[in-house]
Amino acid sequence: MGGAQHQLVRRDSSELALMILGEASMYFMRIASAISALERSEPAFLLMGGAATRGHNGLMTYAYHLNGKYDRELHAIEARVADYPDITDYRSIKLRALAGLKRSAPATALIDTMLQTRDDSTGALLGRIVSAAQEFRVHGDAATADRILKRERDW
């Protein structure tokens, strides 16, 4: 898996090489390897800021989620809230972590906030809320998923 990426890291253990290895590891579903590489590459992406930080954080939090490390996922998301110019993006990925943690009350409150603060002429907001409901269902909380979908329908 990722022979070229591993060779790159052996020759150049820079954060960029580690990020490439982390991303490749995600594609091959080698999540533990991805987390290790992504955590080691984080300082450079924090320094770059902007879209680089968001992209790195998005990949790392998704790796945490896939590995069942929902507390770490939530912490990493909350630590980077200032890096998200669109608060809806931030709230959407936070909902994913809350679903993994089975924290229905804060998720429902967050969805209520999302529905109060914005219209949705493109349907993007509703799509994100449906995704949140699906996450709760996947994590074994069908009741919360149904409540989320009811709130969306009522909106």
Side-chain angles (χ1 to χ4, degrees):
M1 182 292 299
Q5 292 83 0
H6 281 288
Q7 288 177 13
L8 177 60
V9 169
R10 277 195 287 276
R11 276 185 265 158
D12 176 12
S13 61
S14 73
E15 284 88 353
L16 180 57
L18 288 166
M19 172 65 172
I20 293 168
L21 176 61
E23 188 172 21
S25 296
M26 290 289 292
Y27 292 127
F28 288 105
M29 296 304 291
R30 304 277 174 111
I31 306 305
S33 296
I35 289 171
S36 175
L38 292 168
E39 286 177 341
R40 290 169 44 209
S41 68
E42 185 176 29
F45 287 86
L46 292 175
L47 185 62
M48 285 185 243
T53 300
R54 280 189 308 281
H56 181 274
N57 185 258
L59 195 57
M60 190 166 63
T61 57
Y62 188 52
Y64 287 148
H65 191 83
L66 291 177
N67 206 16
K69 298 178 184 300
Y70 309 122
D71 282 325
R72 288 171 71 182
E73 176 189 19
L74 184 60
H75 175 74
I77 292 165
E78 290 177 337
R80 302 272 66 88
V81 64
D83 295 321
Y84 287 87
D86 182 350
I87 195 67
T88 303
D89 290 341
Y90 164 78
R91 289 173 175 157
S92 298
I93 62 171
K94 185 173 180 176
L95 285 168
R96 180 185 68 204
L98 292 171
L101 291 166
K102 297 181 179 14
R103 294 187 186 163
S104 62
T108 302
L110 187 56
I111 286 169
D112 287 345
T113 299
M114 291 168 76
L115 291 173
Q116 289 174 4
T117 59
R118 179 175 171 168
D119 71 293
D120 191 32
S121 61
T122 65
L125 179 64
L126 295 179
R128 290 172 179 186
I129 292 172
V130 168
S131 292
Q134 290 172 332
E135 279 289 339
F136 273 95
R137 194 171 307 284
V138 163
H139 289 284
D141 190 349
T144 297
D146 292 343
R147 280 194 303 277
I148 288 169
L149 294 173
K150 181 179 181 341
R151 277 183 163 73
E152 182 180 58
R153 282 190 306 271
D154 293 346
W155 182 69

